[in-house]
Amino acid sequence: MYIKESITNSLGHRLKGIFSKVEKEDFHKIYEIRIRTNQPIIIYKESGECFIRSNGQYTLDRKKAVIARDEDIKNTLEMMSNYSMYAFEEELRQGYITIEGGHRVGIVGKVIVENNTIKSIRYVGAMNIRLAHEIVGAADKIMPYIYKDNASIYHTLLVSPPKCGKTTILRDLIRQISEGSALKQGQTVGVVDERSEIGGSYMGIPQNDIGPRTDLLDGCSKVDGMLMLLRSMSPQVIAVDEIGKKEDLYAIEEVLNAGVKIVSTVHGTNLDDIMKKPVLKEMIEKEFFQRIICISFRRGPGTIEEILDGSSLKDCKVVS
Amino acid sequence: MLIKSIGMACILIGATTLGWCIDRIQLYRIEDLEGIRSILYMLHSEVNYSITPLPTALREIIDKSNSRVNCIFTRLLSLIEDKTSESITVLWEKAVKSELPKTYLEEEDKKTYYPLDKPLDTWTRRCRRKT
């Protein structure tokens, strides 16, 4: 499904009318659409942020921007949930829902707390639609560095700040490992997709191409998911997004002990930055990862800054 | 005398037929009301206990039920799948308006089941309390 189609189908009646006027190609350049009650709708693109006018044109003039109304958010939520908000209670508790096309919608509003735990969010005041861009070939540059031989890969860690494309690269990495090629054997990949970002699953079905040998656990916690996959699906590679908690250390250790390769991502700018985090420092010192790949936004999303060897912590090769 | 007898017979037959027809219509109307009630009960169960999304719940219920009023829910489902971005109240009104003539339900019966979003909202709140 085209990005435009999946986004406009998820918007309320008035917003659908406005966004339908935006060119189909323009949706590929949009990263985020932020809708706040009584505030102008803001669009984040590669070139920066802008507002949208009622004729679907972009503007930098706030006075000409479309102001989101309360009912716009209400109708949009109704559409996003397919008139079934009750079915998204668990996701709402986490503060986001995933819509058709794998786009993630962050939600804020009045949080209902019961016994010190978040029960749900009511009176949604704002939402952030993060458009999932599936870029086939995003991991092409790093593929030669992560293959140990034709049949196995290195334990790999992708390091990147938010919005630099680490999940997009991870997704393509999973697809390529799973698919294999004429020279490289395709491998069984188990993916724990805690926040439905990798597969972009909607109703349990991955919306993104993650390869023919990939088993995806959607909405499952990383620790439980990794152990479940180990026990049940006998993967050759396990992929997870955004590690960093203490529990992750234990689960990754289990994965490594089972002889399964791990591919993971973490928030950070470079090696020094992640070494400041105790859990990651321990993982790197114990040489959990054989390849550490740092990604930035310097030349647009997915710029490969350095590819380090996990034991020497020196450059494998700098891609300029 | 013969003409009188024929006239009487015509009146009797006519009145009987008319009465029979009205009776049938009322019986069918009751059947339709019961049908709509049972569908709403099933929908309530699907939403409340299985937390099935509305389109899936409607699809399952349409398959299970053989009531005449199925046409209203089939129409509602097709309107939902059209992704017109209109609210469920509007879609329900449209479905009822277009399909009501195909059933024996009367105008006053519409009020009983208007609007659908209210029961849905209530079910959602009950559901939230349970989870």
Side-chain angles (χ1 to χ4, degrees):
Chain A
M1 190 187 270
Y2 289 118
I3 296 179
K4 179 177 176 176
E5 212 175 301
S6 59
I7 293 295
T8 52
N9 280 344
S10 305
L11 295 173
H13 198 57
R14 190 175 79 106
L15 298 186
K16 184 179 182 174
I18 295 165
F19 278 89
S20 297
K21 293 169 194 159
V22 176
E23 290 294 318
K24 196 164 73 181
E25 289 73 29
D26 283 356
F27 276 88
H28 292 277
K29 296 170 192 160
I30 299 174
Y31 295 136
E32 286 181 6
I33 301 168
R34 287 183 183 256
I35 307 167
R36 298 178 177 97
T37 311
N38 301 329
Q39 296 294 335
I41 295 169
I42 303 176
I43 291 171
Y44 289 87
K45 300 187 295 168
E46 211 174 301
S47 52
E49 65 167 59
C50 62
F51 304 111
I52 190 163
R53 296 172 65 172
S54 53
N55 60 4
Q57 302 279 310
Y58 299 134
T59 178
L60 294 172
D61 186 353
R62 195 182 155 166
K63 285 174 192 163
K64 289 176 185 168
V66 173
I67 305 293
R69 300 176 196 148
D70 187 30
E71 63 263 28
D72 289 330
I73 290 189
K74 200 180 157 216
N75 292 345
T76 300
L77 273 175
E78 206 174 30
M79 285 310 297
M80 283 174 174
S81 64
N82 234 336
Y83 305 101
S84 322
M85 269 321 279
Y86 53 85
F88 285 85
E89 286 288 301
E90 192 51 47
E91 284 92 336
L92 276 184
R93 209 186 306 225
Q94 310 285 333
Y96 67 87
I97 56 174
T98 304
I99 59 172
E100 210 168 346
H103 313 292
R104 205 169 88 177
V105 183
I107 285 162
V108 290
K110 168 80 181 153
V111 177
I112 310 292
V113 179
E114 220 175 86
N115 300 327
N116 290 328
T117 52
I118 296 171
K119 290 297 276 183
S120 187
I121 295 179
R122 293 212 78 186
Y123 313 115
V124 174
M127 57 172 66
N128 170 25
I129 307 171
R130 288 186 68 183
L131 277 71
H133 296 279
E134 188 183 12
I135 302 171
V136 174
D140 282 355
K141 280 183 183 172
I142 59 172
M143 287 315 285
Y145 301 95
I146 68 153
Y147 268 100
K148 199 174 187 176
D149 49 57
N150 288 346
S152 73
I153 62 159
Y154 289 114
H155 300 297
T156 306
L157 179 69
L158 302 174
V159 183
S160 156
K163 291 198 221 171
C164 288
K166 66 178 173 315
T167 308
T168 309
I169 291 180
L170 176 67
R171 187 186 303 125
D172 195 53
L173 202 70
I174 293 165
R175 184 188 62 80
Q176 295 203 35
I177 296 169
S178 173
E179 255 178 21
S181 64
L183 296 171
K184 313 271 190 259
Q185 206 177 309
Q187 297 183 48
T188 309
V189 186
V191 180
V192 187
D193 198 1
E194 195 169 3
R195 289 187 284 187
S196 307
E197 278 190 308
I198 303 172
S201 294
Y202 180 74
M203 306 283 182
I205 302 162
Q207 305 284 303
N208 297 318
D209 181 6
I210 48 170
R213 296 179 186 87
T214 305
D215 304 307
L216 185 130
L217 262 180
D218 182 48
C220 181
S221 83
K222 282 187 279 285
V223 176
D224 294 334
M226 281 191 266
L227 300 177
M228 266 170 78
L229 283 173
L230 268 185
R231 282 194 294 263
S232 57
M233 300 307 288
S234 55
Q236 291 168 288
V237 179
I238 286 185
V240 286
D241 203 6
E242 294 175 16
I243 56 161
K245 287 183 190 164
K246 205 163 187 182
E247 307 89 80
D248 299 338
L249 184 107
Y250 159 74
I252 291 173
E253 211 160 20
E254 287 288 308
V255 171
L256 301 185
N257 289 341
V260 174
K261 303 292 177 186
I262 184 103
V263 178
S264 176
T265 70
V266 67
H267 274 155
T269 45
N270 50 35
L271 183 66
D272 293 339
D273 187 34
I274 58 168
M275 286 297 267
K276 288 174 194 160
K277 298 168 186 172
V279 175
L280 283 157
K281 189 181 176 190
E282 194 179 336
M283 285 184 193
I284 288 162
E285 280 173 355
K286 284 183 174 174
E287 294 182 21
F288 276 14
F289 299 102
Q290 296 162 307
R291 289 288 180 268
I292 300 166
I293 300 165
C294 301
I295 301 160
S296 78
F297 203 91
R298 195 164 49 90
R299 288 182 203 160
T303 307
I304 311 294
E305 288 293 339
E306 50 188 357
I307 299 173
L308 304 170
D309 180 78
S311 51
S312 65
L313 297 183
K314 291 202 175 122
D315 281 0
C316 278
K317 186 176 178 182
V318 179
V319 180
S320 54
Chain B
M1 187 63 192
L2 182 71
I3 294 165
K4 277 183 184 172
S5 303
I6 293 168
M8 272 167 59
C10 283
I11 290 166
L12 276 171
I13 292 165
T16 310
T17 313
L18 195 67
W20 185 81
C21 284
I22 291 169
D23 175 55
R24 286 284 97 185
I25 288 168
Q26 288 306 314
L27 272 175
Y28 290 147
R29 185 185 164 206
I30 291 167
E31 271 178 26
D32 285 358
L33 282 166
E34 280 174 352
I36 211 163
R37 188 177 62 178
S38 88
I39 288 176
L40 286 175
Y41 273 144
M42 282 194 271
L43 190 60
H44 174 262
S45 302
E46 286 287 343
V47 168
N48 223 4
Y49 302 110
S50 313
I51 317 182
T52 316
L54 189 61
T56 318
L58 283 172
R59 215 170 286 126
E60 282 175 15
I61 288 158
I62 291 163
D63 287 345
K64 279 182 207 164
S65 166
N66 53 6
S67 166
R68 229 181 338 261
V69 290
N70 255 3
C71 59
I72 298 175
F73 293 90
T74 311
R75 180 82 185 125
L76 176 66
L77 178 63
S78 78
L79 287 171
I80 287 175
E81 286 174 340
D82 283 349
K83 306 254 180 200
T84 54
S85 295
E86 286 169 308
S87 73
I88 192 73
T89 314
V90 174
L91 298 185
W92 176 245
E93 277 173 12
K94 277 186 180 175
V96 171
K97 197 176 173 185
S98 72
E99 301 302 311
L100 202 72
K102 294 177 189 168
T103 68
Y104 288 92
L105 294 172
E106 291 175 6
E107 279 296 308
E108 61 183 283
D109 299 326
K110 283 203 299 190
K111 290 172 198 156
T112 319
Y113 300 108
Y114 262 166
L116 184 70
D117 66 334
K118 284 204 176 129
L120 268 176
D121 189 45
T122 316
W123 297 339
T124 306
R125 269 185 274 121
R126 273 187 212 151
C127 190
R128 192 172 290 139
R129 275 204 296 273
K130 278 184 182 172
T131 54

